Amino acid sequence: MHIVIMGCGRVGSTLAHILEDSGHSVAIIDRNPQAFRRLRAGFRGRRVTGVGFDRDVLTEAGVESATAFVAVSSGDNSNIISARVARETFGVDTVVARIYDPRRAEVYQRLGIPTVATVRWTADQILRRILPEGAEPLWRDPTGTVVLAEVAAHPTWIGTRIADLESRVRTRAAFVNRMGEAVTITEDTVVQDGDVLHVIAAENDMDRINKVLAAAPEEDQ
């Protein structure tokens, strides 16, 4: 995948290195060319100097072919504007913005822009959104056999009762993150657009669970 990152601070440079090590192509944007010193000497991705919401800058970074766009500069306004330009102007489906002011985060979540807020934690959360199958579990028990993990569900699961989803997928749902808030599951809770489902499962069963949820539910299940 090609991923564009705006902001070459600690989070941006950390993400760039992790993604490149995972075999993805990366372009990183920063208005200060000195910021690129945070990148290791062997970094092979593009370094683009400029403002992350400038269309010419984004085009130079390859946003037109990008699978994901990540905005992690030091400014909330710059992050959200650039994320919206990437999505609304260039049609990038997966965008994530770092927001420092938690009061703004829910507003931006309602605009359909996932927002996250610290360095390694932010990098891990962004990786879970753009590389869901390769994400590390949020928690694992001391034996390493049981995990709590985010899972991505195919849009056709929207409207399904979570109790029915559990039965079809053969797993237990722990809770749902809905617009930035944790929602406990009741008998009548249904999957809504934008929900992030968290499941408790055996670690060796996570590949199967991810594959089932990544596809449309089968009628005969």
Side-chain angles (χ1 to χ4, degrees):
M1 301 196 307
H2 179 60
I3 297 153
V4 178
I5 300 170
M6 188 193 83
C8 193
R10 289 178 297 169
V11 174
S13 57
T14 297
L15 278 170
H17 295 150
I18 294 172
L19 289 165
E20 188 173 74
D21 289 344
S22 299
H24 304 289
S25 67
V26 179
I28 190 160
I29 301 167
D30 204 290
R31 67 174 68 197
N32 179 8
Q34 301 301 316
F36 299 128
R37 292 182 176 180
R38 291 189 175 92
L39 299 169
R40 62 193 175 201
F43 179 70
R44 300 183 301 278
R46 304 181 207 174
R47 300 169 175 85
V48 181
T49 302
V51 180
F53 46 83
D54 182 282
R55 295 185 185 186
D56 291 337
V57 170
L58 289 168
T59 299
E60 184 181 349
V63 73
E64 292 169 323
S65 62
T67 304
F69 177 85
V70 179
V72 287
S73 76
S74 59
D76 284 3
N77 290 336
S78 296
N79 287 343
I80 202 64
I81 292 170
S82 61
R84 294 192 68 180
V85 170
R87 168 171 285 176
E88 296 168 14
T89 302
F90 292 98
V92 180
D93 290 330
T94 303
V95 298
V96 183
R98 181 181 186 179
I99 302 298
Y100 289 87
D101 184 351
R103 293 171 296 181
R104 298 183 180 184
E106 184 175 345
V107 175
Y108 297 142
Q109 291 275 10
R110 291 179 185 275
L111 293 174
I113 309 280
T115 58
V116 292
T118 76
V119 176
R120 182 67 206 198
W121 184 87
T122 301
D124 286 345
Q125 291 296 308
I126 290 171
L127 288 168
R128 288 189 181 97
R129 286 163 173 77
I130 62 179
L131 305 172
E133 285 83 11
E136 279 293 305
L138 299 173
W139 172 88
R140 70 165 43 84
D141 82 307
T143 68
T145 58
V146 177
V147 297
L148 169 67
E150 290 184 3
V151 290
H154 191 275
T156 50
W157 288 95
I158 294 171
T160 303
R161 283 197 323 142
I162 292 181
D164 294 334
L165 180 149
E166 290 177 317
S167 177
R168 292 183 178 196
V169 183
R170 304 197 309 276
T171 191
R172 292 298 302 272
F175 64 96
V176 168
N177 187 300
R178 182 168 291 165
M179 292 193 302
E181 294 187 1
V183 176
T184 55
I185 294 168
T186 68
E187 183 178 332
D188 298 320
T189 304
V190 301
V191 179
Q192 295 185 12
D193 189 18
D195 281 356
V196 179
L197 185 64
H198 295 71
V199 301
I200 288 281
E203 185 168 38
N204 60 11
D205 199 32
M206 285 306 304
D207 285 345
R208 181 193 64 81
I209 292 169
N210 278 315
K211 288 178 182 177
V212 173
L213 285 171
E218 298 178 11
E219 294 296 330
D220 59 351
Q221 280 183 310

